[in-house]
Amino acid sequence: MNPRTLAQQLVDTDVLEDVSSNVAIAGPGFINVSLDNDFLSSSLGSEPLVAPTNKPLRIVVDYSSPNVAKQMHVGHLRSTVIGDSISRMLTLAGHTVVRQNHIGDWGTAFGKIVAYIDDLKSDQEINSGLEDLEQLYIAASQRFDRDSSFASKAREAVLKLQSHDPRTMDIWQKFIDVSLRHLEDIYGKLDILLTPADIKGESSFNDDLPAVIERLETNGLLVESDGAQCVFINGFVRKDGSRLPMIVQKSDGGYLYHTTDLATLLYRTRELEADQVLYFTDARQILHFQMLFAVAKKAKFAEEATELEHHAFGSILNANGEPLKTRSGENPRLSDLIEQAEIHARNVVEEKSQHLDVEQRSEIAHHVAIGAIKYADLSKNRTSDYKFDLNTMMSLEGNTSPYLQYAHARISAIFARGGINGEEIELDRIRVKHPAEHDLAVRLLRFQEVLEQSITERKAHHMCNYLYDLTVHFTRFYEKCPVLNTESKERDSRLGLCARTAENLRVGLGCLGISVPKRM
Ligand code: ARG
């Protein structure tokens, strides 16, 4: 059918009757709809910010998942921040989210560490040695490289770990406890939802690995190649055209990352009853997950209906566009980055908020620093790289977290000035009239749509762009439309628009794991 004719037929129906009295057909068959102010007003007065999904799912979200042999470094930031935000949005939409922190707490690195700690003589030495996890791992690795008797001790320790030798397990546990305390500390600072109960690391699947091999065998998928147990899947080939194996057991009997992930997946589908499993890691693991999912479906580690998704992301770069490194060429520690951000934020707040006392300022600086770190990450398309630049991310202008937090604080200040309790403002008093009110109202009603888009694509930048656009339009509205100094009906209506904007900002930033200080 001719698109213009179809458009005309649509316009001739009454579907838009209460929505728009200004519908026009344009170009080859577009329909332009100008929403009526009455429609906007009544929608704002009656519709909740978020309508829960009519298809709630159980969704396992695997994120953060650092390898705990070392301190958490900047490479773990993105998985932690992105995974946390997506799981907050899924929960808000009404899904049941099961967070899983699949920490790397098993394998050869831990053999080195356990052997090294075992060599420290006294308990006191052990305790002080454990304080600096990074140093411990570096020292153990260096010793492993130059001291062959230590190296064989370390390899022995791996076997002892696998067979749960009590003394070896005891040392390992001490190390893990210190590492987890360090993790908790970072999650606390960053306001991340993960708790100790969400940790189910590689070590917890150690005993399930032989069954993985058996299952592959039963399904006729296991092939021996150069002494190793492998699975070959159609479509996975090397550059030279030869078939790429997924190795699940080495010739010495040791298991691999793939093997553990297969065992983990079985647990997630069987015990956690996942409808969907989402993984957030950097782009280097794309092939790992492609192979994992293919084998998992073939050998029924997951049912055909279970959706398995790997969501990769780019790297964090320095201001020159190179990978972020410390002066000595190491990956910067996450705790150091957070500290730098806090110092920077304190300077900004000190300058801008001299009317507040020291305690309030340092509280605000904390919210600003954490918000800025998270927002800088989440506001970029997940798959691209981005530059970690404290100046840009803490700017009070532009698409930044402080800009949005500041807008929210400004609305609180309007309420305070009018002696109004923001929570008691009634949204059914909103009467949209002025064009700036119209533009703001249209945006206020888009929240649900943006939430759904962010969830469907597993990309938080849609929410960020939305909140920025909303704030720009709120600022325009506030410039053009006096709120407190106008006649009472209009004042009530505009206070309603302010209250709803504050709510959208608070809930929207909440989706990103960013809190809003009352004052700034
Ligand atoms: N520990 C891994 C790393 O630091 C990430 C684990 C991701 N989750 C998984 N189930 N493989 O690279």
Side-chain angles (χ1 to χ4, degrees), residues 176-200:
I176 295 297
D177 290 345
V178 179
S179 308
L180 295 192
R181 252 186 278 134
H182 162 73
L183 262 192
E184 283 307 298
D185 185 43
I186 299 262
Y187 293 153
K189 278 192 186 134
L190 280 176
D191 195 5
I192 295 301
L193 297 172
L194 288 167
T195 69
D198 302 323
I199 293 179
K200 192 126 171 95

Side-chain angles (χ1 to χ4, degrees), residues 15 88 108 126 295 381 447 509:
V15 284
R88 283 173 196 262
T108 41
I126 290 180
V295 172
N381 189 335
F447 190 89
L509 285 168

Side-chain angles (χ1 to χ4, degrees), residues 209-217 221-225 227-233 245-263 288 291-292 295-296 301:
L209 302 179
V212 169
I213 306 295
E214 245 166 66
R215 196 183 180 85
L216 293 169
E217 171 94 83
L221 291 172
L222 211 59
V223 177
E224 192 176 313
S225 169
Q229 299 299 327
C230 307
V231 181
F232 290 94
I233 322 140
M246 171 165 142
I247 306 176
V248 287
Q249 191 170 25
K250 290 187 287 188
S251 52
D252 67 2
Y255 300 102
L256 294 104
Y257 188 45
H258 286 301
T259 331
T260 318
D261 252 332
L262 282 170
H288 164 75
M291 296 184 103
L292 178 73
V295 172
F301 285 85

